[in-house]
């Protein structure tokens, strides 16, 4: 599925010099808008991270801010590695589809038999996971499809009471799986969307069960090495472990948090790093902005998966409900913006890091925002939890966040100032809001 920008599709109808001039003019306008947007947005802000924008895989703009290591005064650069959190999920979604594709081919279905391959893969997607992993009764009701689109009803393991103790010993993953199996479902599988990291943790284990190798090794062999993503991995350990023991992580940024409720907003390094083996296919990946551009360019041009599987991955399988997503595919959000059209994106958060990876088909435009600085502090987490508990369950995602912000600002006046001051990822929404002007001017 070769996604072509709407503007270029129209331009290619004619090969006249005038049309080529218009194409060139549009690209110049786009580049100017990007540079102007970056300069305007980051005026009077103090972010820490990297932003990279590319068209058809070619860099248009790149900026880095702040420090990868504050103690050693090492600045962030385009080559800095970051933890990308839940942006990992699209890689896991692609891996599951590829595993099923390989299984279908191994069964004797010809590579050219798209109808046969599609039927076999869809049948596997809708097979109960109990047939793959030994799980309790509810596994008979839950399929790979349910896990991929967050409609399984399994609660988010990261928010359960026992998770902290269980995750302290990452060598015994069976205890985590057993813990998930004891959780009561929040709703009947397939009836609604509810974002849960448990889904993608289980998908990581299922991938290992089906291939006989860890998801990290599978991705390295099938994705990272073939695409030349030399600074990307799904590894075992914490940031400290990786930096101390493996040379390939010499550019890995340390994670920091700022006390968003305090007027002086002190910044400190994360005290206890997330163990990436626990986050796994739900959010344990390390990458760089250039590597993520390589991924976008390959994924949306069918070099990661064949066309029919890319289409399956990007199909809006379920509405996003009270989340930031309009709809959800297999590991990726499907959004619609006036004047732009469909936009594929996924954000990520893991202590000390935030990320966003965006692709706009109509312009063949990729946007990567990576940061090693996020808000923190017990005050803000406690206040947010308490305020959320008082809000109606059916309130929209946008209204819920607005209400929470409103109440927190009353409690902590410095909150709004600090949120703006250290923001990196908010550039994406700012830029998407400006993009329709390009189509209007062209």
């Amino acid at each position: 599925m070769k996604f072509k920008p709407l503007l270029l599709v129209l331009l290619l109808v004619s090969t006249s010099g005038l049309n080529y001039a218009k194409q060139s003019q549009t690209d110049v306008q786009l580049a100017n808008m990007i540079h102007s947007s970056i300069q305007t947005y980051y005026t009077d802000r103090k972010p820490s991270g990297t932003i990279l924008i590319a068209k058809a895989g070619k860099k248009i703009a790149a900026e880095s801010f702040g420090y990868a290591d504050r103690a050693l005064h090492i600045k962030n650069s385009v080559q800095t590695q970051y933890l990308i959190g839940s942006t990992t999920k699209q890689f896991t979604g692609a891996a599951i589809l590829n595993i099923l594709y390989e299984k279908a081919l191994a069964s004797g279905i010809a590579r050219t038999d798209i109808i046969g391959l599609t039927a076999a893969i869809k049948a596997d997607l809708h097979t109960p996971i109990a047939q793959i992993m030994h799980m309790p009764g509810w596994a008979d009701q839950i399929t790979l499809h349910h896990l991929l689109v967050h409609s399984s009803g399994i609660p988010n393991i990261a928010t359960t009471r026992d998770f902290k103790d269980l995750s302290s010993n990452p060598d015994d993953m069976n205890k985590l799986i057993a813990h998930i199996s004891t959780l009561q479902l929040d709703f009947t599988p397939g009836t609604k969307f509810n974002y849960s990291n448990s889904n993608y943790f289980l998908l990581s284990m299922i991938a290992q069960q089906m291939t006989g190798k860890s998801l990290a090794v599978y991705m390295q062999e099938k994705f990272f090495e073939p695409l030349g993503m030399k600074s990307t991995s799904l590894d075992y350990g914490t940031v400290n472990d990786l930096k101390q023991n493996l040379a390939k992580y010499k550019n890995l940024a340390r994670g920091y948090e700022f006390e968003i409720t305090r007027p002086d907003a002190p910044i400190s390094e994360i005290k206890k790093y997330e163990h990436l083996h626990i986050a796994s296919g739900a959010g344990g990946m390390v990458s760089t902005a250039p590597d993520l551009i390589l991924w976008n360019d390959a994924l949306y041009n069918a070099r990661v998966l064949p066309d029919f599987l890319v289409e399956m991955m990007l199909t809006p399988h379920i509405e996003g409900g009270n989340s930031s997503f309009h709809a959800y595919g297999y590991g990726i959000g499907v959004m619609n913006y006036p004047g732009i059209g469909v936009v594929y994106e996924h954000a990520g958060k893991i202590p000390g890091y935030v990320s966003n990876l965006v692709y706009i088909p109509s312009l063949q435009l990729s946007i990567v925002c990576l940061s090693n600085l996020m808000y923190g502090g017990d005050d803000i987490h406690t206040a947010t939890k308490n305020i959320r508990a008082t809000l109606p369950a059916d309130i929209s995602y946008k209204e819920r966040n607005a209400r929470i912000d409103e109440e927190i600002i009353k409690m902590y006046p410095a909150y709004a100032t600090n949120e703006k001051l250290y923001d990196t990822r908010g550039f994406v929404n700012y830029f998407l809001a400006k993009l329709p002007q390009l189509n209007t001017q062209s």
Side-chain angles (χ1 to χ4, degrees), residues 422-433:
Y422 295 112
D423 176 69
T424 297
R425 200 178 65 178
F427 172 79
V428 172
N429 287 333
Y430 172 81
F431 180 64
L432 289 175

Side-chain angles (χ1 to χ4, degrees), residues 177-229:
I177 296 173
H179 175 60
I180 292 177
S181 71
T182 66
L183 301 176
Q184 185 176 353
L185 299 184
D186 287 333
F187 53 85
T188 302
T191 58
K192 65 179 182 178
F193 175 93
N194 187 41
Y195 191 89
S196 171
N197 286 305
S198 300
N199 295 311
Y200 277 75
F201 173 80
L202 286 179
L203 285 169
S204 304
M205 300 302 105
I206 288 170
Q208 181 169 326
Q209 185 77 18
M210 295 181 72
T211 64
K213 58 185 68 173
S214 70
L215 182 59
V217 170
Y218 185 84
M219 285 187 180
Q220 186 68 32
E221 293 177 353
K222 302 295 181 178
F223 298 157
F224 308 148
E225 287 182 6
L227 296 177
M229 299 173 66

Side-chain angles (χ1 to χ4, degrees), residues 212-365:
K213 58 185 68 173
S214 70
L215 182 59
V217 170
Y218 185 84
M219 285 187 180
Q220 186 68 32
E221 293 177 353
K222 302 295 181 178
F223 298 157
F224 308 148
E225 287 182 6
L227 296 177
M229 299 173 66
K230 296 180 180 179
S231 298
T232 301
S233 65
L234 189 65
D235 223 318
Y236 185 99
T238 67
V239 167
N240 284 330
D241 296 331
L242 299 179
K243 289 185 71 66
Q244 291 170 9
N245 300 317
L246 296 169
K248 69 177 181 178
Y249 292 108
K250 64 180 181 179
N251 292 327
L252 179 56
R254 294 193 171 277
Y256 297 90
E257 64 179 6
F258 62 95
E259 294 276 355
I260 194 170
T261 60
R262 292 176 55 176
D264 56 345
I267 296 174
S268 59
E269 186 175 352
I270 293 296
K271 295 180 178 64
K272 185 177 180 181
Y273 284 108
E274 189 88 11
H275 201 290
L276 299 186
H277 193 52
I278 300 297
S280 192
M285 190 175 291
V286 172
S287 193
T288 63
D291 273 11
L292 292 174
I293 293 295
L294 288 175
W295 169 259
N296 262 16
D297 189 51
L299 176 65
Y300 297 105
N301 286 285
R303 297 198 304 274
V304 173
L305 300 169
D307 284 335
F308 77 98
L309 282 183
V310 178
E311 182 177 357
M312 194 181 296
M313 181 178 176
L314 301 180
T315 296
H317 294 288
I318 191 168
E319 292 185 2
N322 288 339
S323 74
S324 62
F325 302 110
H326 296 161
Y328 206 78
Y330 287 157
I332 198 159
V334 185
M335 316 292 282
N336 282 284
Y337 288 87
I340 303 174
V342 68
V343 173
Y344 301 109
E345 67 174 339
H346 211 296
K349 283 186 180 181
I350 194 167
Y353 306 84
V354 293
S355 68
N356 207 341
L357 179 59
V358 176
Y359 184 72
I360 305 169
S362 64
L363 292 169
Q364 282 189 309
L365 202 68

